[in-house]
């Protein structure tokens, strides 16, 4: 390393306001970074001491240092660098929550951009969350945005002023997180609920086994709510900063299709400060189009109610069969410990097993409509069941989405849709905030392509399965298509006796291209998620 004059080092660090910098104490980070990022006797290091961000963003920075500046690291070293920086220069859980939609690869409309100038400066090429996932000192924000402006021909003093205030290096959340006490071990058994579009699809349990400091192996069994089939999965994960769960898992058998939960899945979740819950998203696919919202709670060996099926009952009905799903239920459940709210009367308990209680209930014709609080012994489920009078309309969700054709080097990108029924809510108006989500309804599906000549075949663009999976045509036409995906309810009718219909706008497009280092980038992601490989990479 070339010697750096002390006066130059002092002046440079003073420019950054060294009193607020975060010392870098890890010998590995120092050895790999100090040749370019000067460090003083306090451990304050140029740029690095004045920045905090997510594990994903530290990965990206390390990729850039390897690719553009020739930093040489082994997989073990790469994992160690990202681990240290995420632990000591990471985001507090409250900060990470605000940008979780980005790390969890969710489709999200960013309505929080304050002005058109900031949209141009920060969100013209990527999501606004990418900027807000960083915390920097005011001086570092200015330096970063000056560099960004020079490279991208975009300059904005407003962006510097806004980000310095909205995303500071130090705040109360970070100070509390940085001073956090030792957390309890995560190893043990956890109860799991996996949902899509807000509705539970699987429930079960995960066994977490510690394999090192903040590193784990996982084994889980997930039970389909629809048909009771079991999915066995295993994986590996790491925890950063005591709260950021990052891992991968896959099924015990080969997946039967692109939407099958047996596919290899990335896990991005957040651990609550009291470790009472772990929540986030598991996702997979060409552009992470498949995903499940996952919530986990520790297994205390006490009965726990996780979800109910169906999630909505029509008033004025009798002998509705209801399944209470969870764990540790006794073999003989007294009727007195079950409560379903006003107007829903327990007729009988049909069966009780460790994972399921099956009951019959009557719903009064004048039962109050809306969500209600369910109780099974000491375990409760807020808003666990909705009472309604009719389905007023359905939506095909997501209501706007994309899919992509395959080519020689890119797999197809699919889209999974559901038809969701809604009731008009207490205001009596359709499509307002108080409308009640009644859950999935059975529907027939079709694809209507925009602007096609009469009699043309839409199957050359995409097809729909009976379960709502859009599959692009096998041969890419080399252009984009705008389509309506139309869901027609099989039994839900409007006031005129016509089947209810919902539509989703989908763009079926050419593959999303990435630069030539794609496989290397995926390898680096795996080091960080799953543990290091053995080969050396330069």
């Amino acid at each position: 390393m070339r010697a750096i004059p002390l006066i130059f080092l002092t002046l440079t660090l003073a420019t950054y306001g060294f009193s607020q910098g975060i010392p870098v104490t890890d010998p590995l980070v120092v050895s790999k970074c100090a040749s370019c990022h000067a460090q003083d006797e306090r451990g304050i290091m140029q740029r690095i001491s004045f920045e905090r961000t997510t594990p994903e963003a530290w990965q990206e920075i390390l990729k850039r240092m390897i690719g553009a500046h020739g930093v040489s690291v082994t997989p073990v070293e790469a994992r160690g660098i990202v681990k240290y920086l995420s632990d000591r220069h990471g985001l507090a859980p409250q900060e990470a929550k605000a940008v979780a939609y980005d790390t969890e690869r969710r489709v999200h409309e960013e309505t929080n951009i304050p002005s058109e100038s900031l949209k141009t400066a920060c969100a013209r090429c990527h999501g606004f969350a990418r900027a807000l996932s960083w915390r920097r000192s005011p001086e570092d924000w200015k330096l970063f945005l000056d560099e960004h402006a020079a490279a991208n021909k975009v300059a904005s003093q407003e962006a510097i002023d806004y980000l310095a205030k909205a995303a500071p290096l130090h705040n109360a959340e970070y100070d509390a997180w940085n001073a956090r006490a030792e957390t309890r071990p995560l190893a043990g058994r956890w109860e799991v609920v996996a949902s899509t579009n807000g509705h539970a699809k699987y429930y079960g349990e995960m066994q977490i086994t510690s394999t090192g400091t903040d590193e784990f192996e996982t084994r889980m069994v997930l039970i389909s709510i629809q048909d009771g089939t079991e999915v066995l999965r295993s994986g590996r994960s790491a925890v950063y900063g005591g709260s950021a769960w990052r891992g991968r898992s896959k099924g015990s058998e080969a997946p039967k299709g692109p939407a099958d939960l047996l596919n290899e899945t990335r896990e991005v979740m957040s651990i609550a400060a009291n470790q009472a819950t772990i929540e986030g998203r598991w996702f997979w696919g060409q552009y992470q189009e498949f995903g499940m919202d996952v919530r986990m709670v520790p297994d205390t060996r006490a009965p726990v109610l996780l979800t109910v099926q169906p999630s909505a009952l029509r008033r004025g009905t009798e002998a509705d069969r209801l399944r209470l799903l969870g764990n540790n239920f006794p073999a003989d459940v007294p009727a007195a410990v079950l409560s379903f709210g006003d107007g829903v009367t327990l007729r009988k308990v049909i069966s009780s097993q460790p994972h399921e209680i099956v009951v019959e209930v009557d719903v009064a014709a004048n039962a109050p409509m809306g969500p209600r609080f369910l109780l099974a012994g000491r375990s409760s489920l807020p808003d666990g069941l909705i009472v309604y009078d009719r389905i007023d309309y359905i939506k095909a969700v997501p209501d706007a989405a994309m899919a992509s054709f395959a080519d020689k080097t890119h797999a197809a990108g699919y889209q999974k849709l559901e038809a969701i029924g809604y009731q008009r809510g207490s205001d009596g108006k359709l499509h307002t905030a108080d409308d009640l989500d009644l859950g999935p309804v059975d529907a027939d599906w079709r694809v209507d392509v925009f602007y096609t000549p009469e009699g043309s075949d839409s199957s050359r663009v995409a097809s729909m399965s009976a379960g709502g999976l859009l599959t692009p045509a096998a041969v890419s036409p080399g252009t984009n298509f705008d389509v309506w995906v139309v869901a027609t309810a099989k039994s839900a009718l409007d006031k005129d006796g016509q089947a209810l219909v919902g539509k989703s706008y989908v763009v079926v497009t050419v593959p999303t291209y990435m630069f030539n280092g794609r496989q290397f980038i995926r390898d680096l992601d795996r080091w960080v998620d799953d543990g290091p490989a053995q080969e050396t990479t330069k």
Side-chain angles (χ1 to χ4, degrees):
M1 172 180 167
R2 181 171 59 86
I4 300 175
L6 180 59
I7 186 171
F8 172 80
L9 176 60
T10 302
L11 290 173
T12 302
L13 295 175
T15 301
Y16 281 84
F18 67 86
S19 61
Q20 66 172 320
I22 304 168
V24 178
T25 60
D26 182 65
L28 175 61
V29 175
V30 172
S31 68
K32 295 296 181 180
C33 304
S35 59
C36 295
H37 299 271
Q39 186 181 37
D40 71 1
E41 69 281 358
R42 297 169 175 242
I44 302 300
M45 184 173 282
Q46 284 181 305
R47 302 306 298 269
I48 297 172
S49 285
F50 304 92
E51 301 172 343
R52 297 188 289 113
T53 190
T54 63
E56 285 79 7
W58 282 125
Q59 288 183 52
E60 291 297 324
I61 290 296
L62 183 56
K63 295 170 191 176
R64 187 188 307 168
M65 297 302 103
I66 293 169
H69 300 285
V71 173
S72 175
V73 294
T74 66
V76 174
E77 291 170 337
R79 187 175 176 82
I81 290 169
V82 173
K83 170 65 174 166
Y84 172 80
L85 292 174
S86 300
D87 282 352
R88 308 315 308 175
H89 299 247
L91 299 186
Q94 301 95 317
E95 297 172 309
K97 184 178 181 180
V99 294
Y101 64 87
D102 185 52
T103 55
E104 294 174 1
R105 299 297 186 263
R106 298 180 185 273
V107 175
H108 179 83
E109 182 180 1
E110 294 186 314
T111 59
N112 59 331
I113 305 177
S115 69
E116 285 299 317
S117 175
L118 282 168
K119 183 180 291 187
T120 299
C122 301
R124 183 178 64 173
C125 304
H126 53 70
F128 195 48
R130 183 172 299 187
L132 293 179
S133 67
W134 284 86
R135 298 294 186 271
R136 304 175 187 268
S137 67
E139 297 83 5
D140 197 72
W141 271 122
K142 184 178 188 309
L143 181 58
F144 170 78
L145 288 166
D146 285 346
E147 294 171 345
H148 189 272
N152 298 283
K153 311 303 180 186
V154 176
S156 173
Q157 182 61 45
E158 182 186 3
I160 295 174
D161 296 340
Y162 174 82
L163 291 170
K165 182 178 181 180
L169 182 66
H170 288 279
N171 56 30
E173 290 82 5
Y174 169 72
D175 291 341
W177 173 74
N178 196 42
R180 63 194 180 277
E182 286 292 320
T183 56
R184 300 193 307 272
L186 293 176
R189 195 165 75 170
W190 291 69
E191 309 289 353
V192 182
V193 176
S195 307
T196 59
N197 299 317
H199 300 279
K201 297 295 189 293
Y202 293 88
Y203 71 102
E205 60 188 49
M206 174 189 285
Q207 182 68 41
I208 301 176
T209 303
S210 177
T211 58
T213 304
D214 291 333
E215 296 183 0
F216 305 93
E217 289 184 349
T218 60
R219 294 188 180 278
M220 67 201 82
V221 54
L222 298 177
I223 304 169
S224 169
I225 291 175
Q226 181 178 14
D227 59 20
T229 57
E230 294 186 354
V231 177
L232 304 179
R233 296 179 59 85
S234 59
R236 301 178 67 182
S237 63
V239 172
Y240 299 92
S243 61
W245 173 292
R246 302 293 187 265
R248 292 181 189 270
S249 60
K250 61 181 180 180
S252 59
E253 303 174 11
K256 300 177 178 62
D260 195 336
L261 192 57
L262 290 165
N263 280 280
E264 182 178 84
T265 302
R266 185 152 191 247
E267 302 168 0
V268 176
M269 298 192 289
S270 178
I271 303 168
N274 61 1
Q275 293 185 291
T277 59
I278 304 177
E279 296 183 89
R281 185 172 186 252
W282 299 355
F283 51 85
W284 70 99
Q286 170 69 0
Y287 50 92
Q288 299 86 50
E289 66 269 30
F290 297 112
M292 305 282 283
D293 295 328
V294 176
R295 185 174 188 270
M296 299 168 44
V297 296
D299 181 6
T300 63
R301 302 294 177 175
V304 57
L305 179 59
L306 297 175
T307 187
V308 61
Q309 179 67 22
S311 60
L313 294 178
R314 189 167 184 167
R315 65 181 183 177
T317 58
E318 297 181 348
D320 286 319
R321 182 164 292 201
L322 202 61
R323 300 166 61 210
L324 310 180
L325 305 172
N327 202 5
N328 302 317
F329 294 135
D332 184 18
V333 176
V337 305
L338 301 177
S339 174
F340 305 95
D342 292 345
V344 181
T345 305
L346 176 65
R347 174 175 285 207
K348 64 179 177 179
V349 177
I350 296 175
S351 64
S352 180
Q353 303 175 51
H355 286 290
E356 179 183 70
I357 301 171
V358 181
V359 300
E360 276 188 3
V361 297
D362 297 333
V363 186
N366 62 349
M369 291 191 292
R372 58 253 334 280
F373 188 92
L374 300 189
L375 193 64
R378 295 184 178 180
S379 182
S380 61
L381 198 63
D383 299 338
L385 180 69
I386 290 177
V387 172
Y388 70 101
D389 60 350
R390 67 173 184 264
I391 300 176
D392 289 304
Y393 64 95
I394 67 171
K395 286 184 179 180
V397 296
D399 57 4
M402 66 169 285
S404 65
F405 299 105
D407 64 13
K408 293 181 180 179
T409 57
H410 298 81
Y414 301 82
Q415 189 57 242
K416 182 68 171 65
L417 297 102
E418 285 190 299
I420 305 296
Y422 287 85
Q423 196 257 8
R424 63 199 174 281
S426 59
D427 66 1
K429 300 178 181 178
L430 304 184
H431 305 286
T432 57
D434 72 337
D435 291 1
L436 299 175
D437 180 340
L438 305 178
V441 299
D442 289 335
D444 293 317
W445 296 89
R446 74 173 191 269
V447 175
D448 289 345
V449 182
F450 288 16
Y451 313 122
T452 55
E454 185 176 352
S456 63
D457 182 8
S458 64
S459 65
R460 68 188 181 94
V461 177
S463 60
M464 294 294 299
S465 74
L469 178 66
L470 184 149
T471 300
V475 178
S476 171
T479 189
N480 302 331
F481 288 88
D482 300 303
V483 307
W484 286 119
V485 175
V486 182
T488 302
K490 292 183 178 180
S491 58
L493 306 177
D494 64 17
K495 57 183 174 47
D496 298 320
Q498 300 298 310
L500 294 172
V501 175
K503 299 170 72 174
S504 173
Y505 170 65
V506 180
V507 177
V508 187
T509 184
V510 296
T512 302
Y513 290 94
M514 300 178 70
F515 57 87
N516 292 334
R518 177 179 183 179
Q519 186 57 51
F520 165 71
I521 297 305
R522 285 187 171 177
D523 288 344
L524 180 54
D525 287 341
R526 287 181 179 278
W527 304 344
V528 175
D529 288 341
D530 303 335
Q534 299 303 313
E535 71 273 11
T536 299
T537 299
K538 296 185 178 180

